[in-house]
Amino acid sequence: MNRRESLAAFAGVAAALAGCSGYGSATSESTQTRAAEGGIDTDAPGAGSATDPEMVHVRGATERAPLWLADPDSETERERRSHRERRRHSRTVVDTPARAERLRVADGVEADGLDSFLSETDLDSQTLYLESVEVRACFELTLCRIEWQPDEVSTDYARTQLPYDTRCGVDDHVFEARLVRIPASLSADEVRGYGSSIGTAGCARRNRAEAGSGDSASAASTGGDR
């Protein structure tokens, strides 16, 4: 059985388990040092970018990310501790059917299309990238761009306020999780760098802007889930 067949067999298996500060500035993180103005060279071998990638988007007022990669040994003490810490921003690369089988959806959260999305993903030539961000409940994020190279993945978001008639608490927070299909084969073991920026300009403007000239400052945070 090849990797695609294994993933297709997995579709529908992911169990529903119990389970976005209004970021106005950009956030960036990495387990390695990134050049402040370097960014990703999308013309380099194995690198690329997409402004309208295929994805599953999940949003929920949960106590933790609504879509996550479970520990292979189930609820270990390390995982329970991570849950209690309520990680505000997490990322991970899903490159094999075995890792895909560890995807979990928070209890009470709708993840429409997740099963078909997984079954249609060819992990021989594609990679899934899971990113979860906590935002203020009266705001929402739009993924403007994702860039990748063999050892790094970076995303860029636009943050906008919800329509005025949408009910939300000013001090409440929700999580937005995206499982993005990257049209390239990446290895979770090789991806060590993660970057993300969130700004108030729309995607059209942000995608036109040169890397590093964005409309928001940078701040450090922690690494993605492994």
Side-chain angles (χ1 to χ4, degrees):
M1 180 179 291
N2 61 32
R3 296 166 78 182
R4 182 187 181 105
E5 290 170 339
S6 297
L7 186 59
F10 158 70
V13 173
L17 302 179
C20 295
S21 348
Y23 283 95
S25 62
T27 63
S28 64
E29 67 185 67
S30 175
T31 54
Q32 295 180 336
T33 302
R34 292 183 64 199
E37 69 284 345
I40 291 179
D41 179 4
T42 56
D43 293 325
S49 66
T51 56
D52 188 23
E54 297 174 314
M55 74 178 82
V56 171
H57 174 215
V58 179
R59 179 181 168 105
T62 52
E63 289 299 316
R64 54 157 301 156
L67 181 62
W68 78 95
L69 200 68
D71 189 284
D73 297 322
S74 189
E75 288 281 286
T76 64
E77 178 57 32
R78 181 176 63 84
E79 187 178 37
R80 287 192 292 270
R81 184 169 60 252
S82 177
H83 294 182
R84 290 195 297 268
E85 290 171 354
R86 185 174 174 139
R87 194 173 249 175
R88 295 169 61 187
H89 197 162
S90 62
R91 300 99 161 203
T92 192
V93 172
V94 180
D95 61 340
T96 65
R99 288 178 73 82
E101 289 174 2
R102 291 163 51 192
L103 287 168
R104 298 291 184 267
V105 181
D107 196 20
V109 172
E110 297 291 334
D112 295 337
L114 177 60
D115 288 350
S116 59
F117 184 78
L118 290 171
S119 66
E120 293 165 4
T121 300
D122 181 0
L123 289 177
D124 286 323
S125 60
Q126 300 170 327
T127 307
L128 295 174
Y129 183 65
L130 175 60
E131 182 166 37
S132 298
V133 185
E134 187 185 47
V135 299
R136 291 192 183 277
C138 294
F139 292 84
E140 63 182 350
L141 300 178
T142 300
L143 179 60
C144 300
R145 186 180 186 88
I146 183 168
E147 299 179 340
W148 62 87
Q149 60 188 30
D151 63 351
E152 184 174 356
V153 180
S154 179
T155 52
D156 182 58
Y157 293 91
R159 180 179 69 104
T160 57
Q161 193 162 4
L162 294 175
Y164 73 92
D165 56 349
T166 301
R167 297 185 61 180
C168 60
V170 175
D171 296 323
D172 293 338
H173 295 79
V174 300
F175 275 100
E176 291 197 14
R178 288 172 174 80
L179 187 64
V180 184
R181 183 184 292 144
I182 295 176
S185 181
L186 303 180
S187 169
D189 291 333
E190 294 180 8
V191 176
R192 299 293 182 179
Y194 299 91
S196 187
S197 58
I198 302 174
T200 56
C203 283
R205 176 180 169 186
R206 295 179 69 79
N207 285 333
R208 287 196 301 266
E210 292 182 0
S213 65
D215 49 21
S216 53
S218 294
S221 57
T222 58
D225 291 337
R226 300 294 297 168

